[in-house]
Amino acid sequence: MDETSATIFSEALNAVAAKAPAHQTPDGGQIIIVPDGYSAERVAPLEAPLPRIRQAVTMHDRDSFTAYVNRFKQGEATRIFAEPGFLANGQAKVVAVLDYHLNSAADHGVHTATYMPRYSEQWQRWQKACAAPLKQSEFAEFVEEVRSDIVAPDAANLLDIVRTFKASKRVDFDSIVYQPNGDVRLGYEERTEQKGTSGTLPEQMTIGIPVYFRGSPYKVSVLVRYRVGGGSVQFALKIDRADVVEDTAFTELTAAISEATGIDVYLGRR
């Protein structure tokens, strides 16, 4: 076919295609029906721009959370909600909804950033120790492990007493003696019938530990209760008002987030 004939054929084919019926597909494409001897081809639509950001991210530290919020926040249309662990089944949580409703104008609320602050190793260790009474040897080992956390009484003196307990294999504890100043002494009897009392033990300890990982340390009171029976002694520990301590730490955390993002933090759940 020469050049002239090819041009005529091409123009004729274009004319037929121009008159061919076309059907729109639901996604914006077309199906064109052409005469016998030809095939039906689907023409894909152009990708439509996304009408909104639909994304849920989880951050592992406060700085990453605030950086992400500052990158995508939409002024007053962004809201932050927060719950301390004692109100949220033991897991503190901060959630930023970047496309929240603005006054009476509704938005989708599908772009979120979540930060769940991790509890510090020290806080978890003391919480675990408070879960059940400790035997004499368990209490001695625990004090040895956490002596750097103990602010008062003197950790070394307390350690000397519990080490004595740990080494006494033939001692039967039979009484608890409360001193006028609030201290406690344990009465015991050795199997050789020699009686005595322990060194002074506290009814309360003061520790300095952070609640959250990389957080500020707080002065925390730990109540100590002694249970004597069957020739043995058990030590029951309890963090005094643990919810108040965590609330203080959580308030400090959310205040820092609010200052870094310029967004008020609501105490509640989305």
Side-chain angles (χ1 to χ4, degrees), residues 48-68:
L50 294 175
R52 59 183 178 273
I53 297 176
R54 183 185 294 272
Q55 184 70 53
V57 300
T58 299
M59 299 301 177
H60 296 300
D61 69 295
R62 188 187 71 189
D63 291 343
S64 296
F65 176 79
T66 57
Y68 188 89

Side-chain angles (χ1 to χ4, degrees), residues 5 38 40 44 62 70 76 94 131-132 143 145 149 155 167 186 221 240 255 260:
S5 299
Y38 297 91
R62 188 187 71 189
N70 285 332
E76 295 183 0
V94 184
V143 171
E145 292 173 357
D149 297 340
L186 301 178
S221 296
D240 189 23

Side-chain angles (χ1 to χ4, degrees), residues 4 61 69 98 154 163 165 169 258 262:
T4 301
D61 69 295
V69 171
L98 299 158
D154 184 76
R163 278 176 175 166
F165 288 172
K169 303 299 184 181
S258 179

Side-chain angles (χ1 to χ4, degrees), residues 1-11:
M1 181 182 296
D2 57 27
E3 184 177 348
T4 301
S5 299
T7 300
I8 295 173
F9 179 79
S10 177
E11 290 175 353

Side-chain angles (χ1 to χ4, degrees), residues 4 28 64 72 109 112-113 118 123 144 180 189 222 225-226 231 239 260:
T4 301
S64 296
F72 291 100
T112 64
R118 182 167 49 130
W123 180 262
E144 289 176 346
E189 181 176 359
V222 179
R225 297 294 179 261
Y226 307 91
I239 295 178

Side-chain angles (χ1 to χ4, degrees), residues 24-25 27-30 42-50:
Q24 299 293 323
T25 59
D27 62 359
Q30 298 182 69
R42 179 182 180 280
V43 180
L46 296 175
E47 291 187 4
L50 294 175

Side-chain angles (χ1 to χ4, degrees), residues 128-233:
K128 183 178 179 180
C130 293
L134 302 174
K135 297 179 181 178
Q136 177 182 328
S137 59
E138 292 173 337
F139 184 68
E141 291 174 0
F142 178 70
V143 171
E144 289 176 346
E145 292 173 357
V146 301
R147 58 185 180 275
S148 60
D149 297 340
I150 301 174
V151 176
D154 184 76
N157 292 338
L158 182 60
L159 191 57
D160 286 341
I161 295 172
V162 296
R163 278 176 175 166
T164 301
F165 288 172
K166 189 175 180 182
S168 299
K169 303 299 184 181
R170 301 182 60 193
V171 170
D172 289 339
F173 292 91
D174 55 18
S175 65
I176 300 177
V177 182
Y178 290 92
Q179 304 298 307
N181 64 356
D183 291 333
V184 179
R185 289 180 180 269
L186 301 178
Y188 67 86
E189 181 176 359
E190 294 185 3
R191 291 182 187 176
T192 58
E193 303 302 327
Q194 180 180 353
K195 292 188 176 182
T197 58
S198 72
T200 301
L201 293 169
E203 279 194 284
Q204 179 174 301
M205 293 189 293
T206 301
I207 60 176
I209 60 173
V211 176
Y212 300 119
F213 177 65
R214 292 182 178 176
S216 302
Y218 289 89
K219 184 179 179 180
V220 180
S221 296
V222 179
L223 305 178
V224 187
R225 297 294 179 261
Y226 307 91
R227 301 175 184 176
V228 171
S232 64
V233 60

